[in-house]
Amino acid sequence: KMRKYQSSPVQTLSNEFLRLLGYYIAEGHCSHKKYLTISSGDQEIISDIAKTLESLNLKWKKRLSRKYDYQISSSFWSEIISELCGDNSKNKHLPHFWPQLSNEQLSQLLKAYFSADGGTENTIISCTTASKELASDIMYALLRFGIIARLRKRNNKIPNKNIRESYFTVSISGKKFLETFQKRISFSLK
C-alpha cells in the first residue's frame, strides 16, 4: 500500500527541525534513500524527535529487529536529509547552510548532536565520528562560540573483523571553553 505524504515546499528552520538534523547526524543513516533510521535508547531524545516528526506529518516506527532503531519511511525526506547531512557515518557533515544559521539556531543543531553522540569524561566534552568532514565542520562551528577544540585521529579495530578504520575525536577542555559550551550550547538532555 503506497502512502502519500504532503509537505510544504518551504521548510521552516525551527529549533525542533534543527535538533532533528543534529540527532540524525549523530545517530542516523539513510537506506537507499527510501527511509531513514535514527538510533537512540534515550527517551528524552526519542520524545524530542517524535514531536518534530509529528509536526512534519511523518510516520515513524520502532524497528522490531533492532532495539533502539526508529524508522521514518519517506523517500522524500530520506533524500532531503541525506543530501543535507550525508547518508552514512563516513560521509556525514553539517548541512551546507550551517554558516548562515544564527548562533541560537546553530546551538540547537550542536546541542542535539552532542546529546546523541557526545559525552563528558572528567573535565572534557568530546564526540567521535568516522567522518573527517563532520569533525572539521564541528570544530569550525564551535569557533563561532569562541570554543577552541582539539582533533585527534585514531584507528580502531572493527569487532569480529580484521579491519582497522579511522575515527576522529573532537575534544573540548579548559574551564573557559567548557563554561562557554555549557552557557551557549549545552545538552538537550537533563
Side-chain angles (χ1 to χ4, degrees):
K1 176 178 164 182
M2 286 280 274
R3 290 187 188 163
K4 292 187 179 183
Y5 295 101
Q6 288 188 337
S7 185
S8 171
V10 176
Q11 174 59 48
T12 302
L13 290 178
S14 66
N15 288 344
E16 294 78 15
F17 182 73
L18 291 167
R19 284 196 308 274
L20 176 67
L21 292 181
Y23 294 135
Y24 170 79
I25 293 166
E27 297 293 347
H29 74 276
C30 287
S31 184
H32 310 293
K33 296 189 179 176
K34 293 182 181 175
Y35 64 87
L36 57 101
T37 304
I38 299 177
S39 302
S40 180
D42 189 288
Q43 284 308 307
E44 282 182 86
I45 289 174
I46 298 307
S47 176
D48 198 16
I49 291 169
K51 282 188 262 182
T52 303
L53 294 176
E54 288 169 19
S55 74
L56 294 171
N57 196 27
L58 286 172
K59 306 287 185 231
W60 59 281
K61 65 180 180 180
K62 189 171 185 177
R63 294 181 69 184
L64 297 175
S65 61
R66 303 216 179 224
K67 189 174 182 179
Y68 300 112
D69 283 4
Y70 295 85
Q71 180 175 314
I72 299 102
S73 297
S74 169
S75 57
F76 174 77
W77 280 103
S78 177
E79 176 122 5
I80 286 175
I81 290 179
S82 69
E83 288 297 318
L84 287 175
C85 306
D87 62 0
N88 67 63
S89 63
K90 291 183 181 181
N91 68 19
K92 291 273 184 73
H93 50 85
L94 294 183
H96 67 278
F97 56 78
W98 79 262
Q100 285 83 39
L101 295 174
S102 70
N103 285 352
E104 170 59 30
Q105 290 173 315
L106 182 57
S107 76
Q108 293 295 315
L109 181 74
L110 293 174
K111 177 188 304 259
Y113 176 77
F114 274 94
S115 294
D117 210 24
T120 61
E121 186 177 330
N122 297 323
T123 58
I124 296 174
I125 297 171
S126 67
C127 60
T128 299
T129 177
S131 169
K132 186 176 184 180
E133 182 178 2
L134 177 58
S136 175
D137 286 351
I138 289 169
M139 291 187 64
Y140 280 115
L142 290 170
L143 279 174
R144 281 262 300 266
F145 299 95
I147 299 170
I148 297 173
R150 295 180 185 185
L151 180 65
R152 182 182 59 166
K153 179 182 175 183
R154 62 179 199 221
N155 292 314
N156 288 357
K157 184 179 182 299
I158 305 301
N160 302 323
K161 296 182 181 179
N162 196 17
I163 301 172
R164 295 186 88 65
E165 293 195 3
S166 295
Y167 288 87
F168 305 89
T169 300
V170 176
S171 300
I172 303 166
S173 61
K175 183 179 178 184
K176 174 185 171 186
F177 300 133
L178 293 170
E179 287 175 349
T180 302
F181 181 90
Q182 176 61 32
K183 183 179 174 187
R184 307 279 309 275
I185 300 169
S186 193
F187 295 95
S188 63
L189 303 172
K190 290 179 184 169

